[in-house]
Amino acid sequence: MAEIVLMPKLSDTMTEGVVAEWHKKVGDKVESGDLLAEIESDKATMEFESFQEGVLLHIGIEAGATAPVDSILAILGDEGEDVTAILEEAKKKPAESDKTEATPKADAPVAPKTPVAPTPIPAPVESSAPKTASSAPAVLNDGKIVASPLARKLAEEKNIPLSQVPGSGDGGRIVKRDIENFIPGGVVNTSESFYEEGLNSMRKVIGQRLSESKFSAPHFYLTQSIDMDNAMVARKAIIEAKGTKVSFNDMVLKATAKALKKHPGVNCSFLGDRVRYNDHVHIGVAMAVENGLLVPVVRFADQKSLQDISAEVKDYSVRAKDNKLTPDDWAGSTFTVSNLGMFGIESFTSIINSPDAAIMAIGGIKQVPVVKNNEIVPGNIMKVTLSCDHRAVDGAVGAAFLLTFKQILENPVLMYEL
């Protein structure tokens, strides 16, 4: 008997998926556990194994096409079996499907009410400016070249003969852009070019989820400057003693975990009609990947050593770049850390990763003059900015957390306090 295989829901935020590649074709024999297709969710591309067995009778979503979760992905059955009746029956249920999709879970993005058509990736497009430069400047009957006063002034300053400049203005008139774009002995390119790419599933959900967070959660921001001199000395000593190359980000995560344990008012989640205060500390670590952003979670981070946190984050980083993370890897954060310091960013603000009630943005360490013991001396300062959801976290609560975080990083021995 024929069995329907539905588009799977590979993450709690996934509302639609893209079939990246089929590993079976119509007519192929499929065993339970066989790799059927690769599905691109809002987080990553994952291999989808068949739980049924039989002959692949019908492919409902072609490679490269997008479709909502629970759409007919494929139909398996006996060789030669007619699936027309099954497909006709499926077409009769759009109203029921719409009703289901109109009431999503509270913590998931609203799914589209109708199946999304495949989004082709347009080929690079090139458009020309309305007016292109003529091969020679316009010349009046008296032999004078037609050019704007500003173009003449620029040409004189740059010592450019107007007779060599093609004009792109009305009637070949030389204008400012012609002088600015002029290449002696070369061809002036006045065409405009661009290319466009369709949004993949990850980018769509990033845009949707962050827009929901930014426009629904009343954000407020707290910025703190941290003296990293002691942290730099401690990091060097740890590397020499343990032989483990821990990063400043690893130290930030460890200090964050310790501070969150002392301040459960920040380690919380806003759930619409209630606030959940978490005893466990699960820190999401924002990671940039080729198509967007992933946030794998270091679970029970307060109970892990600095070396354990370092090893786990490195593993996540490798698997994120290879699209090998699973839904379990990015689920269940209670707080998020986003670090752009390695790109030379001094400070920035992050949008809260709902339902978390806070996220901390980490800037780079910069050497600046500081006052110590009434003297101006070189110092290494790192700025961090805490974004809080005011529905769950008050300013004083966020400030107290930042103060503890600062104390731990400025006195790294506190990371190892029981």
Side-chain angles (χ1 to χ4, degrees):
M1 174 180 281
E3 293 184 87
I4 295 176
V5 180
L6 299 176
M7 171 67 78
K9 186 179 179 70
L10 300 176
S11 74
D12 57 348
T13 59
M14 179 177 170
T15 59
E16 61 184 20
V18 178
V19 177
E21 182 181 355
W22 279 100
H23 288 272
K24 298 288 184 180
K25 62 181 182 297
V26 172
D28 283 354
K29 177 69 175 177
V30 179
E31 300 289 343
S32 179
D34 281 356
L35 179 59
L36 191 61
E38 292 183 21
I39 307 295
E40 179 186 324
S41 71
D42 56 319
K43 301 288 188 181
T45 300
M46 303 180 67
E47 296 178 342
F48 178 66
E49 296 179 355
S50 176
F51 295 100
Q52 298 105 318
E53 59 182 32
V55 175
L56 182 56
L57 303 174
H58 173 77
I59 289 179
I61 307 169
E62 296 296 332
T66 305
V69 168
D70 291 336
S71 299
I72 294 179
L73 180 66
I75 299 178
L76 301 178
D78 297 328
E79 186 173 359
E81 189 172 354
D82 188 4
V83 297
T84 305
I86 296 177
L87 295 175
E88 289 298 327
E89 183 66 23
K91 291 180 181 178
K92 295 178 182 178
K93 299 182 179 180
E96 182 180 343
S97 176
D98 287 350
K99 183 178 179 181
T100 301
E101 292 174 355
T103 56
K105 294 181 181 178
D107 62 346
V110 178
K113 292 186 178 181
T114 55
V116 179
T119 305
I121 306 298
V125 180
E126 181 172 316
S127 66
S128 296
K131 297 173 183 178
T132 58
S134 61
S135 58
V139 180
L140 297 179
N141 291 335
D142 59 1
K144 184 179 180 180
I145 295 174
V146 181
S148 70
L150 180 56
R152 289 184 179 278
K153 181 179 179 181
L154 287 175
E156 183 177 351
E157 290 175 353
K158 295 184 177 184
N159 198 27
I160 297 175
L162 289 177
S163 59
Q164 297 180 12
V165 181
S168 63
D170 293 335
R173 184 170 181 258
I174 298 173
V175 294
K176 175 185 175 184
R177 64 173 174 268
D178 300 323
I179 303 299
E180 292 176 336
N181 295 332
F182 177 71
I183 302 174
V187 178
V188 179
N189 181 11
T190 59
S191 64
E192 298 175 354
S193 63
F194 59 89
Y195 72 95
E196 298 177 351
E197 291 183 353
L199 293 179
N200 59 32
S201 298
M202 187 184 296
R203 281 255 68 93
K204 288 179 183 177
V205 172
I206 288 173
Q208 189 174 32
R209 296 277 291 180
L210 293 185
S211 294
E212 288 174 357
S213 176
K214 182 65 176 179
F215 299 128
S216 64
H219 287 55
F220 72 89
Y221 309 97
L222 301 171
T223 300
Q224 181 70 274
S225 294
I226 298 174
D227 184 344
M228 294 294 288
D229 283 352
N230 290 338
M232 294 173 75
V233 173
R235 175 175 177 261
K236 182 179 179 180
I238 291 169
I239 293 174
E240 291 176 350
K242 300 289 186 179
T244 304
K245 191 174 182 180
V246 298
S247 68
F248 288 114
N249 192 57
D250 299 329
M251 299 179 75
V252 164
L253 294 176
K254 180 63 179 178
T256 299
K258 299 287 287 187
L260 287 173
K261 198 63 180 176
K262 291 186 178 182
H263 298 276
V266 176
N267 189 41
C268 62
S269 308
F270 183 79
L271 303 177
D273 59 349
R274 64 195 186 280
V275 177
R276 175 181 295 168
Y277 296 95
N278 302 290
D279 293 325
H280 59 280
V281 177
H282 291 353
I283 301 179
V285 184
M287 293 183 177
V289 293
E290 183 178 358
N291 295 318
L293 184 72
L294 292 175
V295 189
V297 179
V298 178
R299 288 171 172 75
F300 303 105
D302 59 308
Q303 301 177 34
K304 294 179 177 177
S305 69
L306 185 59
Q307 288 75 22
D308 289 340
I309 290 174
S310 178
E312 189 168 338
V313 171
K314 287 174 183 175
D315 176 63
Y316 277 146
S317 179
V318 171
R319 290 197 288 130
K321 291 176 182 177
D322 293 338
N323 286 324
K324 298 298 183 181
L325 293 178
T326 68
D328 288 341
D329 291 328
W330 59 70
S333 66
T334 62
F335 186 90
T336 304
V337 170
S338 179
N339 191 340
L340 293 178
M342 65 286 293
F343 298 106
I345 301 300
E346 293 183 28
S347 65
F348 66 105
T349 58
S350 291
I351 300 174
I352 295 168
N353 182 29
S354 298
D356 296 355
I359 184 172
M360 188 159 59
I362 311 297
I365 300 173
K366 185 177 181 181
Q367 192 170 64
V368 297
V370 297
V371 177
K372 291 184 178 181
N373 299 321
N374 295 320
E375 294 183 358
I376 298 177
V377 296
N380 295 282
I381 301 299
M382 180 179 76
K383 290 185 178 180
V384 302
T385 300
L386 182 70
S387 303
C388 299
D389 183 343
H390 219 325
R391 297 172 298 181
V393 181
D394 292 326
V397 175
F401 162 79
L402 272 186
L403 180 59
T404 299
F405 174 76
K406 174 184 173 74
Q407 290 172 341
I408 294 171
L409 270 185
E410 291 186 345
N411 301 278
V413 67
L414 297 178
M415 292 185 191
Y416 297 93
E417 276 190 344
L418 297 177

